[in-house]
Amino acid sequence: MALGLFSLALFLFLSVDSDSGASAAASGKEGVEITYGSAIKLMHEKTKFRLHSHDVPYGSGSGQQSVTGFPGVVDSNSYWIVKPVPGTTAKQGDAVMSGATIRLQHMKTRKWLHSHLHASPISGNLEVSCFGDDSNSDTGDHWKLIIEGSGKTWKQDQRVRLQHIDTSGYLHSHDKKYQRIAGGQQEVCGIREKRADNIWLAAEGVYLPVNESSSSSK
């Protein structure tokens, strides 16, 4: 596990913008601030499954790359890079504020966490998929970060919701599991109502340190 985090940290270090002055560090601490450019795993609070994707398309709906909940902790397909939306002033190393609109890029396939009005395969709710690439992203990849409680900046192990901008659906999972395309993995979908199954926490990951200018402005 430690070697895997070191390799991920090295990958992020080499991919950091040269003018950002940030370096990547693996974190196992609670309360670490999440910054743009960090690679994290999102854990579903109720089931403890990690948000996950792999190069397997849905057999229905959009046919785009599937997104699931994965039961294991050690899997490189569960890392997501936190990115700002185009046209904002947010940059790599800035803290992510409550209410911010963000994107999550699947680290391994480079596609974006996406949603739309297609029906999810098991429950018939809003489908959540992965779509696009480094140079191809649209508003279907935009999610609003909602921190539960009084926190102003997103921190590790903090309870949050992610609400899809285009559909208003909350990122959701439950114990309904796939039998074939991803046996043992559970459905991830979008639901427009606030429920206990909408809650996620940033868990394992490699967190870029907060820019000094970002810290001084809070």
Side-chain angles (χ1 to χ4, degrees):
M1 180 66 176
L3 181 60
L5 285 176
F6 174 79
S7 301
L8 180 60
L10 179 62
F11 168 81
L12 283 173
F13 177 79
L14 295 173
S15 67
V16 168
D17 294 338
S18 59
D19 61 351
S20 71
S23 60
S27 174
K29 300 177 182 178
E30 294 183 3
V32 175
E33 285 188 313
I34 295 163
T35 55
Y36 292 107
S38 296
I40 66 173
K41 292 184 179 181
L42 280 173
M43 182 182 74
H44 186 241
E45 183 185 49
K46 196 167 182 181
T47 64
K48 312 305 180 190
F49 280 44
R50 269 61 175 176
L51 186 68
H52 182 89
S53 189
H54 38 223
D55 192 14
V56 176
Y58 284 122
S60 62
S62 69
Q64 294 173 4
Q65 183 172 301
S66 57
V67 173
T68 63
F70 188 77
V73 174
V74 183
D75 193 296
S76 60
N77 281 310
S78 300
Y79 280 108
W80 301 84
I81 303 172
V82 183
K83 297 283 187 79
V85 298
T88 66
T89 58
K91 59 186 182 299
Q92 192 159 248
D94 283 352
V96 183
M97 310 299 291
S98 182
T101 300
I102 65 171
R103 296 179 295 168
L104 292 172
Q105 187 175 35
H106 189 240
M107 194 180 77
K108 199 160 187 180
T109 64
R110 312 303 293 177
K111 296 180 185 294
W112 304 96
L113 186 69
H114 186 88
S115 190
H116 37 221
L117 297 177
H118 289 284
S120 62
I122 298 178
S123 63
N125 291 307
L126 299 167
E127 182 188 271
V128 173
S129 64
C130 269
F131 178 74
D133 53 41
D134 286 319
S135 58
N136 182 16
S137 177
D138 60 29
T139 58
D141 310 327
H142 294 186
W143 300 82
K144 181 180 179 180
L145 175 73
I146 302 170
I147 295 174
E148 292 293 297
S150 58
K152 293 183 179 179
T153 60
W154 191 10
K155 296 180 180 179
Q156 189 178 21
D157 296 321
Q158 191 171 41
R159 301 172 73 247
V160 301
R161 285 185 168 90
L162 290 167
Q163 186 176 26
H164 191 244
I165 296 297
D166 283 358
T167 65
S168 299
Y170 293 98
L171 186 66
H172 184 92
S173 193
H174 40 215
D175 60 3
K176 294 179 173 63
K177 294 183 174 61
Y178 291 100
Q179 301 299 320
R180 290 183 296 172
I181 65 165
Q185 296 177 38
Q186 66 190 27
E187 185 185 54
V188 171
C189 58
I191 287 185
R192 291 191 174 99
E193 300 84 25
K194 280 189 176 182
R195 297 184 186 176
D197 283 332
N198 302 150
I199 299 291
W200 300 82
L201 301 89
E204 306 81 16
V206 176
Y207 295 79
L208 296 182
V210 179
N211 288 331
E212 289 185 9
S213 58
S214 177
S215 296
S216 61
S217 65
K218 288 186 291 181

